[in-house]
Amino acid sequence: MLPEWDQKYSINNAKIDAQHQKLFELATRVEEISDRSIYQVELKKIVADFFHYIKIHFQDEENYMAEINYPYLNQHKLMHKQITQSMVKLIQSIKSTNDLKEKLYIVVNSWLIEHIIQHDMMIEHWRQSTQAKNSSDTFEKEKPKPKKFLYQCQCEGKTHKVPYDIHLKIQYSKAQFKCKKCSTNLILCKEKN
């Protein structure tokens, strides 16, 4: 089951938050049709709505990131490009209505969970940490701690806490980082909900 919009996913930008809410609504529509019969015309409309909306949203989000000088803008743009390409491939590789429903649900699920909840939240995390550094009363405020991503190697019971910039390199630039002890590539641990 897909998560519902919650204020905890806010990046404190009214326009982007409203767009994220709309994307959650579109994702809910996708989830609702995944278990029922649907006419191909209705399904194509949902795909077109979703595709059109993410293009607008990505542009607005990239403009916002540029406005606040977000240091991972280029990596984030690459993620947006990959999501758009996966949507295009999805549309091009339709074998049947059921096939399209399944593939669309997978894209929406991974996009919502991974992209909005994980990567877009890093925008707000970065903005807050920058704001805290520039604030004159930082001694009163607790600075947010940078999020670390857990990776594993072949060492038994060992996990590696990887900073966001390295996580982005591993996931989106296909860079490989190895454990210094066992020399195997680090693999992202699946988060437990």
Side-chain angles (χ1 to χ4, degrees), residues 173-191:
S173 301
K174 302 302 180 204
Q176 296 180 346
F177 287 78
K178 298 183 182 289
C179 172
K180 291 178 183 175
K181 186 175 179 182
C182 70
S183 298
T184 59
N185 289 337
L186 300 182
I187 299 170
L188 182 64
C189 297
K190 296 292 180 196
E191 288 189 36

Side-chain angles (χ1 to χ4, degrees), residues 100-155:
L100 177 59
K101 286 192 315 188
E102 287 174 25
K103 289 178 180 176
L104 183 59
Y105 182 78
I106 290 167
V107 169
V108 168
N109 190 20
S110 67
W111 187 76
L112 266 179
I113 305 247
E114 184 180 330
H115 192 78
I116 292 177
I117 295 174
Q118 194 175 88
H119 297 288
D120 287 356
M121 293 307 303
M122 292 303 291
I123 299 167
E124 175 58 11
H125 176 80
W126 179 84
R127 188 192 66 76
Q128 284 179 4
S129 65
T130 303
Q131 197 173 37
K133 286 178 193 170
N134 295 334
S135 175
S136 61
D137 53 80
T138 53
F139 63 92
E140 292 178 18
K141 293 181 182 177
E142 194 172 309
K143 293 182 183 179
K145 292 183 173 86
K147 181 173 179 174
K148 301 281 185 174
F149 292 81
L150 296 179
Y151 279 76
Q152 59 190 33
C153 61
Q154 295 297 315
C155 298

Side-chain angles (χ1 to χ4, degrees), residues 5 10 13 78 90 95 99 126 130 170:
W5 169 258
S10 171
N13 177 290
L78 179 61
L90 171 86
K95 294 178 186 157
D99 181 49
W126 179 84
T130 303
I170 294 170

Side-chain angles (χ1 to χ4, degrees), residues 15-184:
K15 184 177 188 177
I16 302 300
D17 286 345
Q19 290 175 349
H20 282 165
Q21 285 177 306
K22 175 71 173 174
L23 288 166
F24 272 80
E25 289 168 18
L26 288 170
T28 299
R29 281 177 54 198
V30 169
E31 185 174 45
E32 288 169 355
I33 63 159
S34 67
D35 291 331
R36 68 172 173 85
S37 296
I38 185 171
Y39 290 107
Q40 194 171 18
V41 174
E42 184 183 356
L43 185 57
K44 284 183 177 179
K45 170 130 177 56
I46 291 170
V47 171
D49 287 350
F50 199 79
F51 190 71
H52 174 72
Y53 204 81
I54 64 170
K55 285 176 30 180
I56 292 168
H57 168 66
F58 287 166
Q59 188 59 56
D60 289 345
E61 191 173 84
E62 288 169 9
N63 290 342
Y64 173 66
M65 288 185 288
E67 185 181 303
I68 64 168
N69 297 314
Y70 185 60
Y72 306 112
L73 173 60
N74 289 334
Q75 292 93 330
H76 209 95
K77 280 183 175 181
L78 179 61
M79 285 183 248
H80 286 171
K81 184 177 179 181
Q82 289 173 341
I83 292 166
T84 303
Q85 288 172 342
S86 70
M87 288 291 286
V88 168
K89 285 180 187 172
L90 171 86
I91 293 165
Q92 291 173 340
S93 68
I94 299 171
K95 294 178 186 157
S96 67
T97 303
N98 284 337
D99 181 49
L100 177 59
K101 286 192 315 188
E102 287 174 25
K103 289 178 180 176
L104 183 59
Y105 182 78
I106 290 167
V107 169
V108 168
N109 190 20
S110 67
W111 187 76
L112 266 179
I113 305 247
E114 184 180 330
H115 192 78
I116 292 177
I117 295 174
Q118 194 175 88
H119 297 288
D120 287 356
M121 293 307 303
M122 292 303 291
I123 299 167
E124 175 58 11
H125 176 80
W126 179 84
R127 188 192 66 76
Q128 284 179 4
S129 65
T130 303
Q131 197 173 37
K133 286 178 193 170
N134 295 334
S135 175
S136 61
D137 53 80
T138 53
F139 63 92
E140 292 178 18
K141 293 181 182 177
E142 194 172 309
K143 293 182 183 179
K145 292 183 173 86
K147 181 173 179 174
K148 301 281 185 174
F149 292 81
L150 296 179
Y151 279 76
Q152 59 190 33
C153 61
Q154 295 297 315
C155 298
E156 190 173 332
K158 180 157 176 75
T159 55
H160 302 266
K161 292 181 181 178
V162 173
Y164 186 62
D165 58 332
I166 302 298
H167 167 71
L168 288 175
K169 287 177 184 173
I170 294 170
Q171 294 299 310
Y172 298 99
S173 301
K174 302 302 180 204
Q176 296 180 346
F177 287 78
K178 298 183 182 289
C179 172
K180 291 178 183 175
K181 186 175 179 182
C182 70
S183 298
T184 59

